[in-house]
Amino acid sequence: MTKRILQITLFIVVCCAIANAQNTSTYLQNGTVVARFPMHFTNGFMFITVPVIDTDIYGKAITLQRSFLLDPAASNDGSYLPDDSLINVTGTHTFYFPISPQRTLTVDLVPTLARTWVKKTDTSFYGVLGYSFIRRYITIINFLERTVTLYSVSEGDAKWDARLDTAAIHIPYLDDAILDHCNCPFPTMWFEVEAPPFKEGRVHFSLAERQSVIYQQAIEPKTQKFIDEDLRKDSLAGKKKNFGGIEIANFELGGVNIARRNPRRTIDKLPPIFRNLNIFITGTVAIDVLRHFTAVIIDPTRSRVMLVR
């Protein structure tokens, strides 16, 4: 009888240890896990796999595993493309993510055709979870474990591992951009950057783009002249050339120069969506830079992002 009690006690202790392990993090010591999603890369894009409640052709509810882009550069809750193109959806549509037998997350997604090309990259693509979804949670994107974990923000002050004080780059983020034509907010995430000789401004934080960009408006005249002359020489030689990139020596975020981790940046024109904002935009920070870190932590309780080295 005593042996049986010891076995039961040991079983309970092991179960408690497993439960505690599932609710702890290498970085966040007191967080409550809301959801943990596996991450995968396809053609350089980062996707998370999410269970979604859908209906089959008979109207029966089923749970499907679908791929979503996680992107703080998208301001709304997300976007999706209905599989049946004959169905027109206006406003938002509520999706249900059954993350456990006890909990289901709800997300309102806006239908759009803006990302139809993603279907060619991942046929299970179902939409984008944007900034208004991300700011509900503390998000830890662990590239080594290939997981994205959401933690509750209602547990009080987060207790972070002390090693992050020196092992991570702490970057304040801003979400105060305004659209000039309507004086309305453009709620996405921005970092202030210093990247001489480029003009000082902000960079857009994007997890849904493969390559970081420097926009042409940030290039100082001397560098622009060099690019123009290089293109002209190539044209005179009878060759067609697209000058797509440049290597940078300085790119400071949070007071730390991260250019060594990935010095190459694509050069592009400023997208139309950014041409009516009240801020000067230098470029973007995307997956090609972020993957050089062990993890990326988004903490909306302190309006900061931590890049873990």
Side-chain angles (χ1 to χ4, degrees):
M1 183 68 177
T2 304
K3 182 178 180 180
R4 180 62 176 167
I5 293 174
L6 287 173
Q7 288 175 335
I8 294 173
T9 303
L10 180 61
F11 176 75
I12 293 173
V13 170
V14 171
C15 288
C16 290
I18 293 173
N20 287 333
Q22 290 176 340
N23 286 281
T24 57
S25 165
T26 306
Y27 309 113
L28 184 60
Q29 298 180 342
N30 66 332
T32 299
V33 176
V34 175
R36 179 174 287 122
F37 303 116
M39 172 209 308
H40 66 275
F41 286 89
T42 305
N43 197 23
F45 294 98
M46 188 189 84
F47 296 92
I48 59 174
T49 302
V50 180
V52 182
I53 296 177
D54 204 344
T55 54
D56 61 17
I57 58 175
Y58 304 105
K60 180 182 177 181
I62 56 176
T63 300
L64 304 173
Q65 299 295 321
R66 292 289 183 253
S67 295
F68 283 81
L69 290 170
L70 189 70
D71 190 16
S75 59
N76 59 353
D77 273 357
S79 56
Y80 79 100
L81 176 65
D83 289 334
D84 185 353
S85 60
L86 297 178
I87 298 177
N88 292 320
V89 182
T90 57
T92 61
H93 182 82
T94 302
F95 282 81
Y96 300 92
F97 300 161
I99 55 176
S100 73
Q102 296 79 29
R103 190 165 195 170
T104 298
L105 299 184
T106 60
V107 182
D108 293 324
L109 304 184
V110 180
T112 177
L113 298 175
R115 295 181 184 263
T116 55
W117 53 269
V118 182
K119 278 279 190 181
K120 298 178 181 178
T121 298
D122 190 325
T123 55
S124 66
F125 171 69
Y126 221 52
V128 181
L129 301 177
Y131 177 50
S132 61
F133 174 83
I134 292 171
R135 64 184 175 186
R136 302 180 199 172
Y137 312 101
I138 293 174
T139 303
I140 298 182
I141 303 166
N142 193 314
F143 291 116
L144 289 182
E145 297 178 358
R146 290 290 195 267
T147 59
V148 172
T149 307
L150 308 180
Y151 290 85
S152 172
V153 297
S154 61
E155 305 296 325
D157 290 338
K159 184 179 180 182
W160 297 99
D161 191 300
R163 290 175 297 175
L164 291 177
D165 292 339
T166 55
I169 301 170
H170 297 251
I171 311 170
Y173 73 78
L174 302 165
D175 59 0
D176 58 349
I178 298 294
L179 288 165
D180 285 330
H181 71 276
C182 62
N183 197 33
C184 48
F186 187 81
T188 59
M189 295 174 65
W190 302 86
F191 300 144
E192 292 184 330
V193 63
E194 292 185 10
F198 302 112
K199 296 177 183 177
E200 189 172 325
R202 294 189 188 179
V203 289
H204 211 205
F205 177 45
S206 176
L207 293 167
E209 300 295 333
R210 293 181 298 181
Q211 293 183 315
S212 301
V213 173
I214 295 291
Y215 293 124
Q216 288 182 358
Q217 67 174 15
I219 300 175
E220 44 88 33
K222 185 177 180 180
T223 304
Q224 185 62 54
K225 182 180 179 182
F226 170 79
I227 294 173
D228 293 341
E229 287 179 351
D230 191 58
L231 288 172
R232 182 172 180 273
K233 289 177 183 178
D234 208 74
S235 176
L236 291 174
K239 300 176 183 178
K240 184 178 180 181
K241 179 179 180 181
N242 293 320
F243 192 93
I246 192 170
E247 290 199 358
I248 59 176
N250 298 287
F251 198 86
E252 289 192 11
L253 293 175
V256 178
N257 185 9
I258 66 169
R260 292 193 304 273
R261 292 180 176 269
N262 192 336
R264 186 168 179 79
R265 296 291 184 276
T266 300
I267 295 177
D268 203 354
K269 295 180 179 179
L270 187 71
I273 193 173
F274 292 155
R275 293 176 186 171
N276 199 27
L277 292 180
N278 68 330
I279 58 176
F280 185 84
I281 306 170
T282 300
T284 63
V285 172
I287 285 294
D288 60 329
V289 171
L290 301 174
R291 286 185 69 176
H292 286 269
F293 293 89
T294 303
V296 174
I297 302 172
I298 303 173
D299 182 2
T301 66
R302 301 182 184 180
S303 297
R304 68 176 177 178
V305 171
M306 288 178 274
L307 305 181
V308 185
R309 291 176 275 206

